[in-house]
């Protein structure tokens, strides 16, 4: 797990040099827990997707946006703009998202190991932020952990302004079943 996630982190750090600790933690969270923090009804998932698709129409198109991106732990990010532009059906994406959200998810211990890996990469100068910046974010973030769970985080404003992310986190198997892998 560690080698795969280290490779993924380095790829993301290279592809998204505006990443802040918050964005690395979001990637870590998604690779461990998937989209389990957000499992709406089919109707709400459809409405939310429609809202987001309308929003992204007014945003600049990111340079070299991939249709799908591996994030580790058996999960992918399926980017909305290329997905819709390539003629894929919205209903298949919604089904894959709901099925992914309802599947079992990761473990706190594995998530912590992933955070330690981010710290080590930052400490060695292999992240777009310092270990001190990461430690400051983690100290604040840990205040929100409970026995029941670890909260998801949003992308930083800096990341949103640089990359205009619009995607759904899916299990790789659900993405493949929906015919939306590579």
């Amino acid at each position: 797990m560690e080698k795969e996630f280290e490779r993924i982190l380095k790829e993301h750090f290279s592809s998204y040099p505006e990443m802040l600790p918050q964005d690395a933690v979001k990637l870590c969270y998604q690779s461990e827990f998937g989209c389990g923090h957000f499992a709406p009804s089919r109707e709400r998932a459809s409405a939310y997707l429609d809202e987001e698709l309308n929003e992204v129409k007014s945003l600049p198109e990111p340079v070299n946006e991939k249709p799908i991106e591996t994030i580790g732990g058996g999960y992918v990010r399926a980017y909305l703009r290329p997905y819709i532009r390539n003629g894929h059906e919205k209903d298949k994406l919604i089904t894959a998202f709901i099925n992914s959200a309802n599947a079992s998810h990761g473990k706190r211990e594995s998530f912590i190991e992933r955070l330690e890996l981010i710290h080590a990469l930052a400490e060695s100068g292999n992240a777009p932020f310092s270990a001190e910046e990461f430690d400051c974010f983690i100290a604040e973030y840990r205040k929100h952990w409970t026995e029941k769970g670890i909260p998801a985080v949003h992308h930083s404003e800096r990341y949103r302004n640089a990359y205009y992310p619009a995607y759904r986190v899916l299990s790789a198997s659900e993405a493949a079943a929906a015919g939306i892998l590579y």
Side-chain angles (χ1 to χ4, degrees), residues 11-55:
E11 285 175 8
H12 280 253
F13 292 161
S14 175
S15 296
Y16 307 105
E18 297 300 316
M19 244 181 155
L20 293 175
Q22 177 176 339
D23 305 300
V25 170
K26 182 172 184 72
L27 174 63
C28 180
Y29 183 96
Q30 290 174 336
S31 73
E32 185 60 34
F33 301 115
C35 56
H37 64 284
F38 186 75
S41 68
R42 182 171 197 82
E43 295 75 26
R44 185 66 196 126
S46 180
Y48 186 64
L49 180 59
D50 287 339
E51 289 170 24
E52 193 166 359
L53 288 171
N54 275 336
E55 276 181 38

Side-chain angles (χ1 to χ4, degrees), residues 23-161:
D23 305 300
V25 170
K26 182 172 184 72
L27 174 63
C28 180
Y29 183 96
Q30 290 174 336
S31 73
E32 185 60 34
F33 301 115
C35 56
H37 64 284
F38 186 75
S41 68
R42 182 171 197 82
E43 295 75 26
R44 185 66 196 126
S46 180
Y48 186 64
L49 180 59
D50 287 339
E51 289 170 24
E52 193 166 359
L53 288 171
N54 275 336
E55 276 181 38
V56 300
K57 286 178 187 175
S58 65
L59 297 173
E61 186 87 15
V63 177
N64 300 324
E65 184 174 55
K66 302 168 190 163
I68 202 154
E69 183 172 56
T70 300
I71 60 171
Y75 293 101
V76 299
R77 288 177 176 169
Y79 286 87
L80 301 181
R81 284 174 286 259
Y83 180 80
I84 298 301
R85 185 176 51 246
N86 291 332
H88 292 292
E89 296 174 33
K90 185 179 90 166
D91 282 345
K92 286 185 177 182
L93 179 62
I94 292 167
T95 298
F97 175 70
I98 290 171
N99 290 346
S100 296
N102 288 326
S104 63
H105 304 290
K107 298 178 183 164
R108 178 184 291 249
E109 298 78 25
S110 298
F111 178 69
I112 291 169
E113 287 175 17
R114 290 174 191 266
L115 292 178
E116 290 168 352
L117 182 56
I118 295 170
H119 174 83
L121 289 171
E123 197 167 55
S124 66
N126 290 309
F129 45 80
S130 70
E132 293 77 21
E133 290 171 302
F134 183 74
D135 291 344
C136 285
F137 179 81
I138 290 300
E140 188 61 33
Y141 178 56
R142 281 184 178 261
K143 292 178 184 177
H144 303 284
W145 293 19
T146 67
E147 285 302 313
K148 292 183 180 180
I150 297 170
V153 296
H154 296 287
H155 279 297
S156 67
E157 185 175 345
R158 179 168 140 183
Y159 188 96
R160 287 191 310 270
N161 289 337

